[in-house]
Amino acid sequence: MTDRLTPLELMTKLISFPTVSRDTNIPLIDWVEEYLGSHGITSHRYVDPDQPKHALFAHVGPEVEGAVVLSGHTDVVPVDGQPWDTDPFTVVEKDGKYYGRGTCDMKGFDALAIWTLVEAHYAGVKRPLQIALSFDEEVGCTGAPPMIAAMQGVVPKGSAVIVGEPSTMQAVTGHKGGSGFNTHVIGFEVHSSLLHTGVNAIMAGAKLIEWANEQNTANMAAKPTDLAAMFDPPFTTVHVGMIEGGTAHNITAKDCRFAMDFRVVPGEDKEKWKIDYLKKVREVEKAMQSVVPDTRIEITPRFDVPALQPEEEGEAESLVRQITGDNASHKVSYGTEAGQFQEAGYSAVICGPGDIAQAHQPNEFIEVEQFNAGHAFMQKLIERLCL
């Protein structure tokens, strides 16, 4: 496997691996390692101890600190139940677009990053370049922190991280933080005609969901801070997207499960939101136990993603702006691994091809023009690394 594949050939290969987050990504990582190795590039892995998932990172150029790091994730969201017109795991070009699961989010960028690493290796760059491919980004950015930790001392520490989430090749310098908590309300079943003697887990859980509605109403009405005003929406949001529970319409529900998620604007304390939620949980639980003492509410942390804080004269931001010529201010409300790199001491920015509006959608696509713009960006990056 010594051919130098084009970005499109690389994207086509990556998308052929159905790396939905619930499944393994090891075959994809095996292929990338073999491909890089065929060009004389040594790869390193982080192996998850609890599931069949691997992360991969590699370094080319001088063995010194200060590399530019191209960061992407290898997992994609499911296609179950989505009305696709083509095979989701085959790249199809049509009407100026490349269709396929992950073309936009974010195997298109991953392909460009792999292409750039190989080309930088052959170009003999004077400033090093690294690639970091994680897993489980789509389920809460849980795969990046152990990968970042594994990189330390194995490859020289980089200084500027470009996270290639779809941003239409604009420099995004801030995003909200996020945290999520699996919530299991455990009630007590009785016939619904005697509901006052039981505890309906769904109705108790509804009190927590109504608390979320109240927080959103209050946040929406409050005047945003200058930093929060950069985001859309300019406030922290509290969200429940799925709920399940109950066994029959005439039985008080014994179980109710849902996830309570927070997207927190920079400048606010994620930990305080957790404390406030747990306070409400204990209040509802106390009322439940006044009826049936054995009832309870179990809370399990699901994810915790730090915000990407705008940097003053950030190295990563400056590099991207110099290449793209984009001097506007861009902030997003979705979370990425950029904040995790930033927490680990890297300068970080988001810049990748494609529009986030296409992510996770049936018939996901990236415009050919956007993919080509990403390619042009990488060519200019290599030129800079050679200076």
Side-chain angles (χ1 to χ4, degrees):
M1 194 163 55
T2 56
D3 290 344
R4 286 155 72 172
L5 301 180
T6 67
L8 178 57
E9 289 171 331
L10 287 164
M11 179 171 69
T12 299
K13 185 63 179 181
L14 295 181
I15 285 174
S16 71
F17 295 100
T19 52
V20 175
S21 301
R22 64 181 175 231
D23 301 323
T24 184
N25 73 332
I26 294 176
L28 181 150
I29 294 296
D30 287 343
W31 185 87
V32 173
E33 182 177 48
E34 182 182 357
Y35 177 71
L36 294 179
S38 72
H39 293 286
I41 300 172
T42 300
S43 298
H44 308 273
R45 297 196 192 200
Y46 166 75
V47 176
D48 190 288
D50 301 318
Q51 58 178 341
K53 305 279 184 73
H54 292 179
L56 178 144
F57 52 95
H59 175 107
V60 300
E63 289 291 321
V64 297
E65 294 188 350
V68 174
V69 184
L70 302 176
S71 167
H73 61 81
T74 60
D75 59 318
V76 296
V77 297
V79 299
D80 308 46
Q82 292 187 334
W84 281 76
D85 297 330
T86 60
D87 178 0
F89 300 107
T90 299
V91 174
V92 175
E93 182 178 357
K94 184 173 59 176
D95 301 327
K97 303 179 179 73
Y98 294 126
Y99 289 88
R101 174 57 88 221
T103 49
C104 176
D105 185 16
M106 63 180 299
K107 289 181 177 178
F109 177 84
D110 293 346
L112 291 167
I114 294 168
W115 178 88
T116 307
L117 195 74
V118 170
E119 296 303 314
H121 173 64
Y122 284 113
V125 291
K126 293 183 171 59
R127 179 180 179 181
L129 180 71
Q130 295 176 358
I131 190 172
L133 300 178
S134 70
F135 58 87
D136 281 357
E137 190 274 347
E138 297 292 6
V139 294
C141 295
T142 57
M147 176 191 69
I148 296 169
M151 294 169 67
Q152 310 310 307
V154 175
V155 293
K157 185 164 184 175
S159 58
V161 178
I162 301 173
V163 176
E165 293 282 359
S167 71
T168 62
M169 296 309 300
Q170 295 175 324
V172 173
T173 58
H175 67 62
K176 293 183 178 182
S179 58
F181 303 92
N182 288 334
T183 303
H184 182 192
V185 184
I186 302 166
F188 185 79
E189 291 177 311
V190 297
H191 193 280
S192 60
S193 64
L194 299 172
L195 65 84
H196 65 292
T197 64
V199 174
N200 189 316
I202 292 176
M203 296 181 74
K207 295 177 181 179
L208 298 176
I209 296 172
E210 180 54 25
W211 175 84
N213 287 327
E214 292 169 355
Q215 304 311 304
N216 287 329
T217 298
N219 290 350
M220 195 178 304
K223 181 180 179 181
T225 64
D226 291 343
L227 185 55
M230 298 178 182
F231 293 83
D232 181 19
F235 52 84
T236 293
T237 56
V238 191
H239 180 250
V240 174
M242 296 177 67
I243 187 170
E244 61 177 13
T247 54
H249 292 295
N250 60 351
I251 302 174
T252 58
K254 181 179 180 180
D255 294 287
C256 179
R257 292 179 172 86
F258 56 87
M260 184 70 71
D261 292 351
F262 300 84
R263 292 189 181 273
V264 182
V265 293
E268 288 189 11
D269 186 357
K270 279 197 288 84
E271 187 64 21
K272 184 179 185 304
W273 278 104
K274 174 185 176 181
I275 292 169
D276 289 349
Y277 180 50
L278 292 180
K279 180 180 178 181
K280 184 64 180 181
V281 166
R282 299 285 83 91
E283 175 189 316
V284 173
E285 183 181 62
K286 182 177 180 181
M288 292 166 55
Q289 292 176 343
S290 70
V291 180
V292 179
D294 289 341
T295 58
R296 63 192 185 279
I297 302 176
E298 297 178 350
I299 302 297
T300 306
R302 188 162 61 90
F303 69 90
D304 187 6
V305 181
L308 174 63
Q309 304 281 353
E311 301 172 6
E312 182 121 8
E313 299 181 357
E315 180 185 350
E317 175 187 353
S318 296
L319 174 64
V320 167
R321 292 195 186 283
Q322 288 165 14
I323 295 174
T324 63
D326 172 29
N327 291 314
S329 176
H330 307 285
K331 311 292 186 295
V332 294
S333 292
Y334 57 82
T336 78
E337 297 169 340
Q340 294 168 325
F341 273 100
Q342 192 177 64
E343 272 199 340
Y346 296 80
S347 174
V349 69
I350 301 166
C351 184
D355 189 332
I356 193 65
Q358 303 307 323
H360 305 182
Q361 298 297 310
N363 297 321
E364 177 183 347
F365 67 82
I366 186 171
E367 293 181 348
V368 173
E369 182 180 4
Q370 272 290 302
F371 191 65
N372 291 342
H375 188 195
F377 175 95
M378 295 302 185
Q379 291 172 315
K380 292 177 181 178
L381 174 61
I382 293 171
E383 291 173 4
R384 284 186 169 271
L385 298 177
C386 287
L387 295 176

